[in-house]
């Protein structure tokens, strides 16, 4: 599994703390992505192009803001699963020593959001290069047959 070591750059008590984020397996990440999309849809989110079966690719296209479109209980569960990918590296010089993240490891509220963003990015960053393709494909699928394609010269 792909892993990334991150060091908190934010000012405050957590500055300099080191964490390791391990990506979920492809199957688990896809399932998690579908659950995120389904939770947003079930909460009544009106996100253009949102497809409950799109998996991690659909989640990457929508972005981290999708969590704001969910009811709090489902959001908390999905974010908790994401944070299970984070472990603590108490001594940055000794990568072999790690332990699971505990709530007491984080002292600053901004660090929580920063770690969630980093964990989310690890799972969806490989879709960044194809993000524009999702937009173009969505536009093409929504274009009527008689209308010119979105990139046609005017």
């Amino acid at each position: 599994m792909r892993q990334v070591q991150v060091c908190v750059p934010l000012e405050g008590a957590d500055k300099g703390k080191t964490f390791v984020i391990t990506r979920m397996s492809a199957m688990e990440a896809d399932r998690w992505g579908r659950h995120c999309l389904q939770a947003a849809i079930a909460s009544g989110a009106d996100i253009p192009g949102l497809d409950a079966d799109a998996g991690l690719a659909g989640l990457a296209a929508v972005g981290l803001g999708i969590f704001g479109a969910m009811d709090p209980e489902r959001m908390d569960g999905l974010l908790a699963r994401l944070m299970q990918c984070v472990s603590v590296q108490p001594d940055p010089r000794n990568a072999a020593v790690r332990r699971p993240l505990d709530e007491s490891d984080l002292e600053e509220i901004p660090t929580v959001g920063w770690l969630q963003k980093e964990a989310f990015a690890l799972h969806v960053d490989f879709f960044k290069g194809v993000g524009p393709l999702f937009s173009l494909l969505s536009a093409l699928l929504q274009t009527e047959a008689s209308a010119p394609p979105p990139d046609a010269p005017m």
Side-chain angles (χ1 to χ4, degrees):
M1 294 296 160
R2 181 170 173 224
Q3 294 181 335
V4 63
Q5 182 184 50
V6 296
C7 184
V8 179
L10 308 173
E11 292 300 322
D14 294 327
K15 185 175 178 95
K17 290 182 181 179
T18 303
F19 300 91
V20 176
I21 306 169
T22 304
R23 190 164 65 192
M24 296 176 211
S25 71
M27 295 292 288
E28 186 175 5
D30 182 67
R31 181 175 35 255
W32 177 78
R34 281 185 284 106
H35 290 178
C36 288
L37 293 171
Q38 290 166 350
I41 290 169
S43 296
D46 184 23
I47 302 171
L50 189 61
D51 177 7
D53 295 323
L56 205 54
L59 189 58
V62 174
L64 192 58
I66 194 169
F67 294 102
M70 296 176 196
D71 74 72
E73 199 170 298
R74 289 185 82 179
M75 175 186 61
D76 288 345
L78 290 164
L79 284 172
R81 174 58 195 104
L82 180 64
M83 294 301 281
Q84 287 176 0
C85 298
V86 179
S87 58
V88 179
Q89 189 175 326
D91 180 0
R93 297 171 304 239
N94 187 354
V97 177
R98 271 194 271 160
R99 61 177 172 70
L101 178 69
D102 183 78
E103 287 185 12
S104 65
D105 292 317
L106 305 176
E107 299 177 58
E108 304 286 344
I109 294 170
T111 307
V112 176
W114 178 80
L115 264 177
Q116 290 170 340
K117 178 185 73 68
E118 292 295 319
F120 184 84
L122 178 65
H123 287 85
V124 301
D125 267 0
F126 55 95
F127 286 109
K128 276 185 179 174
V130 297
L133 294 177
F134 285 115
S135 299
L136 178 59
L137 179 59
S138 177
L140 288 172
L141 291 174
Q142 293 175 11
T143 302
E144 293 180 28
S146 61
D151 59 348
M154 302 248 161

